[in-house]
Amino acid sequence: MVSLAQQLSVLRWSPLPSTSSSRPTTTHNRRTRTLLPVVCSVALSNAQNRERVKLKELFEQAYERCRTAPMEGVSFTVDQFTEALEKYDFDSEVGTKIKGTVFAVDASGAYVDVTAKSTAYLPLQEACIHRIKHVQEAGIVPGLREEFVVIGENEVDDGLILSLKAIEFDLAWERCRQLQAEDAVVKGKIVNGNKGGLVAEVEGLKGFVPFSQISTKLSGEELLEKELPLKFVEVDEEQSRLILSHRKAAADSQGQLGIGSVVTGTVQSLKPYGAFVDIGGISGLLHVSQISHDRITDIATVLQPGDILKVMILSHDRERGRVSLSTKKLEPTPGDMIRNPKLVFEKAEEMAQTFRQRIAQAEAMARADMLRFQPESGLTLSNEGILGPLSSELPAEGVGFNEVPSAEEHS
């Protein structure tokens, strides 16, 4: 680099004139203006050189410290740094459970930060045990921190492939085992079928219901997309076998059906002779003659599939699995089921109570008549309607209606 003195030495200077005139002065001013940029450029170049020298010295000093005393000024030791790395290290083998935070989602899945060298990915089909169209339907949004299971590795960037569905499957199997141990009745939605039975979805799992374990007169097609009460027959996670029974669940429900009791049901289908009504998984027949006291020529003018109504149990054949229903017995006034079904359902329990009292009275009269015409039996009817040894307590004219106890006194 040429020094300032050397640069100035090559410049030629003209002697100053002895007299002051306007022309020489103008020439001097022009030369001065030419010299100033040169001087400023040289000064700036020297300042940059000094800065470079200073930076070079700093880098040399830093290099020397790293070479001779690398831990000088560091607030932690090598052991502490190693321990911190081990704290965030994890086993990325398939089947390992790790925690991560969702930081972005797209149409195909979600990106998860698992403190690894590459971003982990949760595919849409692994986001939920149920079928969904977007991960947000399963509550997966940025900021969610959850436990995932490793199911693979992306060969392109070594990023982990995660799953939530696998964890949910484990929980579903555990739940089914618990429900089987409790002999609980669960609701299952019929989603498919084959020649051997139906496929029902329970707790997110697909279970098989053999036709031999279905207690309804409806066909498989009619049961599709409908819910049935089911019980567990076999729960085998290793073999992925889930066998269910509608018959066992229906047997529990049938034990609760009493003649004259009022239940709520849903119309399943219409036939020329009546309507099939689902009452807690049991299919009962509401015969056309038991819909109303008024004559009905077309059932569809009164009922439609999907209608929810209150019906009374007329009869129940447990061996054959048949239940007869009636809304006719619930009508406050003949024909109300056609003109004002809402009133029928509002007064259903009241009308059923009246019906049960009539049944009790009729049974009491029948027992009394039997004893009156068969005195040789040696039995009599007590005030509670129980047959017992003949006594003088039996009225000569049988049992009067006023002596039949009210059903409310037994409840």
Side-chain angles (χ1 to χ4, degrees):
M1 200 72 178
V2 181
S3 66
L4 179 62
Q6 291 174 336
Q7 294 184 38
L8 294 176
S9 65
V10 299
L11 298 176
R12 296 181 180 180
W13 296 83
S14 299
L16 295 174
S18 57
T19 61
S20 59
S21 63
S22 60
R23 189 175 185 84
T25 302
T26 302
T27 303
H28 172 70
N29 292 338
R30 185 183 301 115
R31 288 178 178 177
T32 302
R33 285 196 299 270
T34 303
L35 179 61
L36 285 174
V38 175
V39 175
C40 291
S41 176
V42 172
L44 180 61
S45 177
N46 287 340
Q48 292 176 342
N49 287 338
R50 286 194 298 272
E51 186 68 22
R52 291 191 184 99
V53 171
K54 184 178 180 180
L55 289 174
K56 180 181 179 181
E57 291 176 353
L58 290 175
F59 281 123
E60 289 177 349
Q61 293 173 5
Y63 172 77
E64 186 64 20
R65 285 197 303 270
C66 292
R67 188 179 65 83
T68 57
M71 299 303 295
E72 182 181 351
V74 179
S75 60
F76 53 86
T77 65
V78 176
D79 293 338
Q80 290 174 331
F81 180 70
T82 303
E83 183 180 350
L85 289 178
E86 292 177 351
K87 179 180 179 181
Y88 291 98
D89 190 21
F90 55 86
D91 185 6
S92 61
E93 294 294 327
V94 173
T96 303
K97 292 182 180 181
I98 58 175
K99 284 189 174 293
T101 304
V102 176
F103 66 87
V105 298
D106 59 19
S108 301
Y111 297 90
V112 184
D113 177 19
V114 292
T115 65
K117 60 181 180 180
S118 299
T119 298
Y121 191 68
L122 174 69
L124 175 62
Q125 63 271 20
E126 294 295 332
C128 183
I129 197 172
H130 302 286
R131 183 172 295 181
I132 57 176
K133 295 182 178 179
H134 196 278
V135 293
Q136 289 179 333
E137 296 178 30
I140 300 173
V141 295
L144 174 69
R145 183 164 180 80
E146 190 60 85
E147 185 177 55
F148 304 86
V149 62
V150 179
I151 60 172
E153 187 173 328
N154 192 329
E155 297 180 356
V156 177
D157 59 0
D158 295 332
L160 299 178
I161 300 176
L162 307 177
S163 174
L164 277 175
K165 182 170 70 173
I167 295 178
E168 291 180 354
F169 270 131
D170 291 342
L171 294 175
W173 280 108
E174 179 61 31
R175 177 65 175 157
C176 288
R177 285 191 291 268
Q178 179 183 354
L179 291 170
Q180 183 188 31
E182 296 173 356
D183 196 30
V185 176
V186 297
K187 288 286 187 179
K189 184 179 181 180
I190 306 301
V191 296
N192 206 342
N194 54 39
K195 62 180 181 180
L198 302 175
V199 177
E201 186 174 287
V202 177
E203 297 292 329
L205 301 176
K206 299 295 190 301
F208 184 65
V209 189
F211 281 128
S212 62
Q213 293 297 319
I214 296 177
S215 179
T216 178
K217 300 301 181 182
L218 298 180
S219 65
E221 293 182 357
E222 291 175 314
L223 288 173
L224 282 178
E225 300 302 317
K226 289 183 171 57
E227 287 191 342
L228 291 179
L230 302 166
K231 275 195 171 187
F232 294 93
V233 176
E234 181 180 352
V235 180
D236 189 341
E237 183 178 1
E238 293 184 0
Q239 299 295 326
S240 191
R241 283 170 56 89
L242 187 63
I243 309 299
L244 306 165
S245 173
H246 171 243
R247 186 176 296 278
K248 286 187 174 183
D252 281 4
S253 300
Q254 290 174 1
Q256 302 173 1
L257 297 180
I259 306 302
S261 61
V262 176
V263 294
T264 301
T266 304
V267 177
Q268 293 179 314
S269 62
L270 301 180
K271 303 295 181 182
Y273 50 85
F276 283 99
V277 182
D278 174 49
I279 48 174
I282 303 172
S283 182
L285 175 62
L286 177 60
H287 195 271
V288 63
S289 63
Q290 287 296 329
I291 296 177
S292 175
H293 284 84
D294 288 0
R295 187 171 181 271
I296 297 175
T297 56
D298 185 4
I299 300 177
T301 61
V302 183
L303 301 174
Q304 286 293 322
D307 287 352
I308 298 176
L309 63 159
K310 289 185 177 181
V311 293
M312 188 175 70
I313 307 297
L314 277 185
S315 65
H316 182 198
D317 187 344
R318 288 181 173 81
E319 293 183 0
R320 304 176 67 180
R322 293 183 178 180
V323 180
S324 297
L325 309 172
S326 175
T327 53
K328 174 181 177 180
K329 304 296 184 184
L330 302 177
E331 288 183 320
T333 306
D336 281 345
M337 191 61 196
I338 299 174
R339 295 185 298 270
N340 191 2
K342 183 178 180 182
L343 177 64
V344 176
F345 302 148
E346 288 178 352
K347 293 185 172 293
E349 283 75 12
E350 179 182 340
M351 297 303 298
Q353 175 70 14
T354 302
F355 175 80
R356 288 192 292 268
Q357 289 179 351
R358 291 174 181 172
I359 292 296
Q361 291 172 356
E363 290 178 349
M365 291 179 63
R367 292 191 184 97
D369 289 341
M370 179 186 68
L371 294 176
R372 185 170 56 185
F373 290 106
Q374 297 179 348
E376 67 277 5
S377 64
L379 298 176
T380 185
L381 190 68
S382 67
N383 292 333
E384 290 78 19
I386 301 175
L387 287 176
L390 185 62
S391 68
S392 58
E393 296 179 0
L394 181 64
E397 300 299 326
V399 179
F401 289 166
N402 295 332
E403 298 182 29
V404 178
S406 171
E408 294 182 352
E409 295 178 358
H410 292 278
S411 59

